[in-house]
Amino acid sequence: MDNAALTSFPFGRIIVSSVCAIFFLALILLSCRGRNQEVIGAGRAVLITGCDSGFGHHLARRLDAQGFVVFAGCLFPNGDGAQTLHRESSSNMNILKLDVTKDEDVTQTRTVVQSNLPEKGLWAVVNNAGIVDWSETEWNTIDDYRIMAEVNLFGSIRTSIAFLPLVRASKGRMVYVSSIFAFFNCLTMGAYSMSKRGLEAFADCLRVEMACFGVKVSIIQPGNFGPATSILRRRRTGTDIWEKLDRERQQMFNRQYVDLANNYHMSTCMTGNQDSSLVIDAMVDALTADRPKRRYLLVSKLDMLFFYSFPYLPTYVTDAVFYLSPMYNKRKAMLYSK
């Protein structure tokens, strides 16, 4: 090969591509490596927020079956979900009224937990309580953003600050239920993504701070598990959205697009995973594995490579994912149309 050919040969691109390929392969292999389940439940307590239904409800039942003392925080302690836990669990299940947006609820919960701890103390807090909603930015009010952040972000921070001394004493675990939308930005999910991205920033900083105390911090990142949870319990209609818009925005976002967007969101949620066991297994691993993962990305095997690589792609590439989607192009064509 002559000098001209050597200088024109794309060594740099090949090296970068090879390093990236090795990096992503290493991530996948690390995520699949076996973990010994070494922590047993007997004598240890776990506090879980948001146990009325969904992930929190199923995790409470699983941990109860494994011998943990469970403090199940429920927004409605007399509701069907809480009463089912009480009726179908062992004497280790403790149902507590807990609204994570209220200081007095968190303070009262800490008092009850601290007074009823088993011999090995509070092993973990699972910050699971959360809400989800969808809307384009201009369809929301500042109160919509505030409510989302108050539950998903500040609720977890409030609970963490209250219970960290107890978890630190046992060198236990802090677990945070986030979402792929913490890093996967897309249409209509701005408020939810904001709250979950903030939650992950908090958890990442906390993990570094807690390392020297022997406390491990894990983040759970579920994909679309709409049918497996109560996430679809609130069903908004296109009319609900339309009537909130002022005249200027009604001219911008016409009624046909609002209905299309609403139907698209609801149908997407309905096609999600119907089995929550993948998420519950990850939560249990985060609580009981000797070396829990820092993050548990919970999507299908087909989607795994895409979501692993997405945060590392250039912004113009990630934006292009949406520019090329049929929904984005329909939206663009319908704006301002009558």
Side-chain angles (χ1 to χ4, degrees):
M1 186 179 292
D2 58 25
N3 290 337
L6 283 172
T7 55
S8 63
F9 197 74
F11 286 111
R13 291 182 182 179
I14 292 175
I15 292 173
V16 171
S17 298
S18 299
V19 170
C20 289
I22 293 171
F23 174 71
F24 290 127
L25 179 61
L27 283 177
I28 294 172
L29 291 175
L30 284 172
S31 70
C32 296
R33 78 177 194 261
R35 287 174 168 78
N36 296 323
Q37 303 290 319
E38 296 188 1
V39 176
I40 59 173
R44 290 184 170 90
V46 176
L47 169 67
I48 311 168
T49 66
C51 291
D52 298 84
S53 60
F55 299 145
H57 185 91
H58 293 301
L59 179 63
R61 299 184 68 167
R62 175 82 71 87
L63 294 182
D64 175 64
Q66 292 186 204
F68 285 92
V69 172
V70 178
F71 294 99
C74 295
L75 189 60
F76 303 106
N78 295 318
D80 292 340
Q83 290 306 302
T84 298
L85 285 178
H86 178 73
R87 186 172 58 251
E88 299 181 2
S89 303
S90 75
S91 59
N92 284 334
M93 180 69 69
N94 302 273
I95 309 299
L96 305 177
K97 181 186 181 302
L98 178 55
D99 181 343
V100 297
T101 69
K102 295 181 177 179
D103 290 331
E104 57 270 27
D105 274 23
V106 174
T107 300
Q108 177 63 22
T109 297
R110 171 170 169 142
T111 300
V112 173
V113 169
Q114 193 165 13
S115 300
N116 293 276
L117 286 175
E119 57 182 304
K120 296 181 182 178
L122 182 64
W123 174 247
V125 174
V126 180
N127 290 278
N128 168 74
I131 58 174
V132 66
D133 203 355
W134 73 275
S135 186
E136 294 215 5
T137 300
E138 292 185 80
W139 302 355
N140 280 327
T141 65
I142 190 63
D143 285 338
D144 294 322
Y145 283 91
R146 185 178 291 113
I147 291 169
M148 186 75 71
E150 190 60 48
V151 179
N152 294 354
L153 175 57
F154 296 116
S156 291
I157 295 174
R158 180 178 289 108
T159 304
S160 297
I161 291 173
F163 287 94
L164 269 172
L166 299 180
V167 175
R168 187 169 57 240
S170 66
K171 297 184 178 181
R173 310 289 166 86
M174 297 293 292
V175 178
Y176 296 86
V177 180
S178 181
S179 167
I180 59 170
F181 289 108
F183 62 87
F184 183 63
N185 50 291
C186 70
L187 289 171
T188 75
M189 297 301 290
Y192 185 67
S193 292
M194 171 271 299
S195 67
K196 292 301 186 180
R197 191 170 295 187
L199 177 65
E200 291 205 8
F202 172 78
D204 283 334
C205 291
L206 182 66
R207 184 179 62 253
V208 175
E209 293 177 2
M210 289 294 108
C212 63
F213 296 113
V215 175
K216 295 181 173 64
V217 179
S218 295
I219 296 171
I220 310 295
Q221 296 176 315
N224 183 2
F225 284 82
T229 68
S230 60
I231 201 170
L232 297 178
R233 187 165 293 176
R234 181 185 179 191
R235 292 177 177 269
R236 286 196 306 178
T237 65
T239 300
D240 294 331
I241 300 168
W242 183 253
E243 290 179 348
K244 284 181 61 177
L245 303 182
D246 58 27
R247 183 171 179 80
E248 179 183 3
R249 289 182 172 86
Q250 284 182 349
Q251 292 178 340
M252 169 71 76
F253 304 99
N254 64 84
R255 179 60 188 270
Q256 289 74 24
Y257 171 63
V258 169
D259 287 336
L260 174 67
N262 184 63
N263 293 335
Y264 176 78
H265 174 81
M266 295 305 298
S267 63
T268 299
C269 288
M270 290 293 290
T271 58
N273 200 322
Q274 299 183 20
D275 184 3
S276 64
S277 60
L278 181 66
V279 178
I280 306 308
D281 289 345
M283 290 175 161
V284 171
D285 189 80
L287 294 170
T288 62
D290 182 50
R291 294 174 297 165
K293 296 180 183 179
R294 293 172 176 83
R295 277 177 168 76
Y296 292 81
L297 178 60
L298 305 172
V299 295
S300 69
K301 292 181 180 179
L302 185 63
D303 293 335
M304 187 67 72
L305 181 60
F306 172 76
F307 283 109
Y308 261 127
S309 60
F310 190 87
Y312 303 99
L313 296 174
T315 303
Y316 69 87
V317 175
T318 59
D319 286 352
V321 171
F322 304 103
Y323 297 155
L324 298 174
S325 70
M327 183 61 191
Y328 184 89
N329 288 299
K330 287 181 181 178
R331 174 185 184 275
K332 188 175 181 180
M334 294 176 75
L335 295 183
Y336 280 120
S337 64
K338 300 296 184 183

PDB file of all heavy atoms in Angstrom, residues 49 59 65 75 89 112 116 152 215 231 240 245 269 284 303 316:
ATOM      1  N   THR A  49     -42.793   2.900  48.914  1.00  0.00           N
ATOM      2  CA  THR A  49     -43.832   3.904  48.692  1.00  0.00           C
ATOM      3  C   THR A  49     -44.664   3.512  47.472  1.00  0.00           C
ATOM      4  O   THR A  49     -44.196   2.815  46.580  1.00  0.00           O
ATOM      5  CB  THR A  49     -43.225   5.297  48.478  1.00  0.00           C
ATOM      6  OG1 THR A  49     -42.476   5.319  47.249  1.00  0.00           O
ATOM      7  CG2 THR A  49     -42.287   5.666  49.620  1.00  0.00           C
ATOM      8  N   LEU A  59     -44.269  -5.724  44.510  1.00  0.00           N
ATOM      9  CA  LEU A  59     -43.012  -5.874  45.245  1.00  0.00           C
ATOM     10  C   LEU A  59     -43.273  -6.152  46.722  1.00  0.00           C
ATOM     11  O   LEU A  59     -42.585  -6.983  47.339  1.00  0.00           O
ATOM     12  CB  LEU A  59     -42.162  -4.613  45.100  1.00  0.00           C
ATOM     13  CG  LEU A  59     -40.832  -4.636  45.854  1.00  0.00           C
ATOM     14  CD1 LEU A  59     -39.914  -5.742  45.330  1.00  0.00           C
ATOM     15  CD2 LEU A  59     -40.141  -3.283  45.774  1.00  0.00           C
ATOM     16  N   ALA A  65     -43.253 -12.508  51.007  1.00  0.00           N
ATOM     17  CA  ALA A  65     -43.070 -13.950  50.816  1.00  0.00           C
ATOM     18  C   ALA A  65     -41.630 -14.381  51.068  1.00  0.00           C
ATOM     19  O   ALA A  65     -41.375 -15.544  51.400  1.00  0.00           O
ATOM     20  CB  ALA A  65     -43.498 -14.334  49.401  1.00  0.00           C
ATOM     21  N   LEU A  75     -51.320   5.465  49.555  1.00  0.00           N
ATOM     22  CA  LEU A  75     -52.031   6.740  49.552  1.00  0.00           C
ATOM     23  C   LEU A  75     -53.416   6.567  50.164  1.00  0.00           C
ATOM     24  O   LEU A  75     -53.925   7.450  50.851  1.00  0.00           O
ATOM     25  CB  LEU A  75     -52.140   7.267  48.116  1.00  0.00           C
ATOM     26  CG  LEU A  75     -52.662   8.685  47.928  1.00  0.00           C
ATOM     27  CD1 LEU A  75     -51.768   9.699  48.636  1.00  0.00           C
ATOM     28  CD2 LEU A  75     -52.754   9.019  46.436  1.00  0.00           C
ATOM     29  N   SER A  89     -51.396 -11.201  53.003  1.00  0.00           N
ATOM     30  CA  SER A  89     -49.983 -11.249  53.379  1.00  0.00           C
ATOM     31  C   SER A  89     -49.821 -11.767  54.805  1.00  0.00           C
ATOM     32  O   SER A  89     -50.799 -11.983  55.524  1.00  0.00           O
ATOM     33  CB  SER A  89     -49.356  -9.855  53.247  1.00  0.00           C
ATOM     34  OG  SER A  89     -49.511  -9.346  51.942  1.00  0.00           O
ATOM     35  N   VAL A 112     -43.418   5.578  63.003  1.00  0.00           N
ATOM     36  CA  VAL A 112     -43.972   4.229  63.080  1.00  0.00           C
ATOM     37  C   VAL A 112     -42.927   3.192  62.698  1.00  0.00           C
ATOM     38  O   VAL A 112     -42.766   2.165  63.374  1.00  0.00           O
ATOM     39  CB  VAL A 112     -45.211   4.105  62.163  1.00  0.00           C
ATOM     40  CG1 VAL A 112     -45.691   2.648  62.111  1.00  0.00           C
ATOM     41  CG2 VAL A 112     -46.327   5.015  62.644  1.00  0.00           C
ATOM     42  N   ASN A 116     -40.975   0.129  65.102  1.00  0.00           N
ATOM     43  CA  ASN A 116     -41.352  -1.260  64.829  1.00  0.00           C
ATOM     44  C   ASN A 116     -40.319  -2.000  63.985  1.00  0.00           C
ATOM     45  O   ASN A 116     -40.663  -2.950  63.278  1.00  0.00           O
ATOM     46  CB  ASN A 116     -42.707  -1.292  64.123  1.00  0.00           C
ATOM     47  CG  ASN A 116     -43.834  -0.809  65.016  1.00  0.00           C
ATOM     48  OD1 ASN A 116     -44.388  -1.556  65.812  1.00  0.00           O
ATOM     49  ND2 ASN A 116     -44.181   0.468  64.875  1.00  0.00           N
ATOM     50  N   ASN A 152     -43.068  12.881  41.790  1.00  0.00           N
ATOM     51  CA  ASN A 152     -42.008  12.037  41.242  1.00  0.00           C
ATOM     52  C   ASN A 152     -40.606  12.403  41.711  1.00  0.00           C
ATOM     53  O   ASN A 152     -39.752  11.528  41.854  1.00  0.00           O
ATOM     54  CB  ASN A 152     -42.041  12.100  39.715  1.00  0.00           C
ATOM     55  CG  ASN A 152     -43.292  11.490  39.135  1.00  0.00           C
ATOM     56  OD1 ASN A 152     -44.101  10.909  39.852  1.00  0.00           O
ATOM     57  ND2 ASN A 152     -43.474  11.614  37.832  1.00  0.00           N
ATOM     58  N   VAL A 215     -23.694   2.068  51.701  1.00  0.00           N
ATOM     59  CA  VAL A 215     -25.072   2.049  51.190  1.00  0.00           C
ATOM     60  C   VAL A 215     -25.036   2.034  49.674  1.00  0.00           C
ATOM     61  O   VAL A 215     -24.344   2.855  49.047  1.00  0.00           O
ATOM     62  CB  VAL A 215     -25.868   3.281  51.683  1.00  0.00           C
ATOM     63  CG1 VAL A 215     -27.254   3.313  51.056  1.00  0.00           C
ATOM     64  CG2 VAL A 215     -25.971   3.270  53.200  1.00  0.00           C
ATOM     65  N   ILE A 231     -51.242   2.755  35.483  1.00  0.00           N
ATOM     66  CA  ILE A 231     -50.837   3.989  34.823  1.00  0.00           C
ATOM     67  C   ILE A 231     -51.933   4.546  33.910  1.00  0.00           C
ATOM     68  O   ILE A 231     -51.993   5.740  33.638  1.00  0.00           O
ATOM     69  CB  ILE A 231     -49.541   3.743  34.021  1.00  0.00           C
ATOM     70  CG1 ILE A 231     -48.808   5.057  33.762  1.00  0.00           C
ATOM     71  CG2 ILE A 231     -49.809   3.021  32.736  1.00  0.00           C
ATOM     72  CD1 ILE A 231     -47.428   4.879  33.194  1.00  0.00           C
ATOM     73  N   ASP A 240     -61.048  17.073  26.954  1.00  0.00           N
ATOM     74  CA  ASP A 240     -60.433  17.566  28.196  1.00  0.00           C
ATOM     75  C   ASP A 240     -59.240  18.467  27.883  1.00  0.00           C
ATOM     76  O   ASP A 240     -59.065  19.519  28.510  1.00  0.00           O
ATOM     77  CB  ASP A 240     -59.959  16.384  29.051  1.00  0.00           C
ATOM     78  CG  ASP A 240     -61.108  15.533  29.553  1.00  0.00           C
ATOM     79  OD1 ASP A 240     -62.211  16.079  29.729  1.00  0.00           O
ATOM     80  OD2 ASP A 240     -60.896  14.319  29.751  1.00  0.00           O
ATOM     81  N   LEU A 245     -57.125  24.799  26.445  1.00  0.00           N
ATOM     82  CA  LEU A 245     -56.308  25.665  25.598  1.00  0.00           C
ATOM     83  C   LEU A 245     -56.993  27.007  25.382  1.00  0.00           C
ATOM     84  O   LEU A 245     -58.222  27.086  25.219  1.00  0.00           O
ATOM     85  CB  LEU A 245     -56.065  24.993  24.243  1.00  0.00           C
ATOM     86  CG  LEU A 245     -55.401  23.607  24.269  1.00  0.00           C
ATOM     87  CD1 LEU A 245     -55.192  23.105  22.840  1.00  0.00           C
ATOM     88  CD2 LEU A 245     -54.083  23.650  25.017  1.00  0.00           C
ATOM     89  N   CYS A 269     -49.725   3.167  25.153  1.00  0.00           N
ATOM     90  CA  CYS A 269     -49.689   2.623  26.512  1.00  0.00           C
ATOM     91  C   CYS A 269     -50.348   1.253  26.576  1.00  0.00           C
ATOM     92  O   CYS A 269     -49.884   0.362  27.294  1.00  0.00           O
ATOM     93  CB  CYS A 269     -50.384   3.578  27.472  1.00  0.00           C
ATOM     94  SG  CYS A 269     -49.462   5.092  27.797  1.00  0.00           S
ATOM     95  N   VAL A 284     -36.046  -6.714  43.257  1.00  0.00           N
ATOM     96  CA  VAL A 284     -35.578  -7.696  44.235  1.00  0.00           C
ATOM     97  C   VAL A 284     -34.062  -7.854  44.126  1.00  0.00           C
ATOM     98  O   VAL A 284     -33.352  -7.951  45.139  1.00  0.00           O
ATOM     99  CB  VAL A 284     -36.292  -9.048  44.037  1.00  0.00           C
ATOM    100  CG1 VAL A 284     -35.657 -10.131  44.912  1.00  0.00           C
ATOM    101  CG2 VAL A 284     -37.773  -8.910  44.362  1.00  0.00           C
ATOM    102  N   ASP A 303     -35.179  -4.192  21.991  1.00  0.00           N
ATOM    103  CA  ASP A 303     -34.971  -2.758  22.198  1.00  0.00           C
ATOM    104  C   ASP A 303     -33.714  -2.449  23.019  1.00  0.00           C
ATOM    105  O   ASP A 303     -33.311  -1.294  23.119  1.00  0.00           O
ATOM    106  CB  ASP A 303     -36.172  -2.145  22.922  1.00  0.00           C
ATOM    107  CG  ASP A 303     -37.431  -2.157  22.076  1.00  0.00           C
ATOM    108  OD1 ASP A 303     -37.294  -2.186  20.840  1.00  0.00           O
ATOM    109  OD2 ASP A 303     -38.535  -2.145  22.651  1.00  0.00           O
ATOM    110  N   TYR A 316     -28.118  15.348  17.277  1.00  0.00           N
ATOM    111  CA  TYR A 316     -28.776  15.408  15.973  1.00  0.00           C
ATOM    112  C   TYR A 316     -29.261  14.032  15.525  1.00  0.00           C
ATOM    113  O   TYR A 316     -30.231  13.919  14.775  1.00  0.00           O
ATOM    114  CB  TYR A 316     -27.857  16.035  14.912  1.00  0.00           C
ATOM    115  CG  TYR A 316     -26.658  15.215  14.518  1.00  0.00           C
ATOM    116  CD1 TYR A 316     -26.735  14.250  13.515  1.00  0.00           C
ATOM    117  CD2 TYR A 316     -25.424  15.411  15.133  1.00  0.00           C
ATOM    118  CE1 TYR A 316     -25.626  13.495  13.145  1.00  0.00           C
ATOM    119  CE2 TYR A 316     -24.309  14.670  14.792  1.00  0.00           C
ATOM    120  CZ  TYR A 316     -24.423  13.711  13.788  1.00  0.00           C
ATOM    121  OH  TYR A 316     -23.327  12.955  13.433  1.00  0.00           O
TER     122      TYR A 316
END
